[in-house]
Amino acid sequence: MSKPGKARYRLETVKRQYQDALDVPDGRVEFEVGPEDDPQVFSFPHPIFTPDDMQRDLNAAQGDEASARILLGDQYDAFIAAGGDANGVALLYVGIRAEAQDKVQKVRPTRG
C-alpha cells in the first residue's frame, strides 16, 4: 500500500516519455530503401522497445541475415527485392541502439 500523498508512476506515461525523447511515437524505426524518387519504407521495433521474444531471437541469431529476418519479419522479402541488404539493417539497429543509450540516460520519468 502506498503512502498518502505519494504519486505513483504510470507505466504508459513513462513509456511515452521515452518514446518522445527518442522521437519514436509508435516505438518503431522507419527507413527507406530504393531510388530516391520512389523509395520503399520499412520498419522494425526500436531497440529500446524490442519485445522480449524478439530480443531473445536476436541474441541467438547467427549473422546479419538472421538478424534482419527477425527484425523485419514479413517485410524481409520485399526489403531484399527493393535492393536492401541485411548488413545495412544490422548496422542501423546497432547505431540506433548506441544513440538511444545516450538519450535514455537523460530521461527523468515523472510521477502522476
Side-chain angles (χ1 to χ4, degrees), residues 21-100:
L22 297 167
D23 195 27
V24 286
D26 64 353
R28 296 188 67 80
V29 173
E30 289 188 341
F31 62 97
E32 297 178 348
V33 174
E36 284 188 40
D37 61 339
D38 189 26
Q40 288 189 317
V41 177
F42 300 94
S43 68
F44 57 77
H46 190 283
I48 298 297
F49 303 109
T50 302
D52 287 346
D53 58 338
M54 183 180 278
Q55 191 61 59
R56 281 190 292 276
D57 291 345
L58 286 169
N59 290 341
Q62 299 278 326
D64 292 344
E65 181 180 347
S67 295
R69 285 182 180 277
I70 292 163
L71 287 168
L72 296 175
D74 293 342
Q75 304 172 89
Y76 183 80
D77 290 337
F79 167 73
I80 294 300
D85 70 285
N87 181 255
V89 172
L91 289 172
L92 180 59
Y93 187 83
V94 168
I96 289 170
R97 184 177 60 204
E99 178 184 60

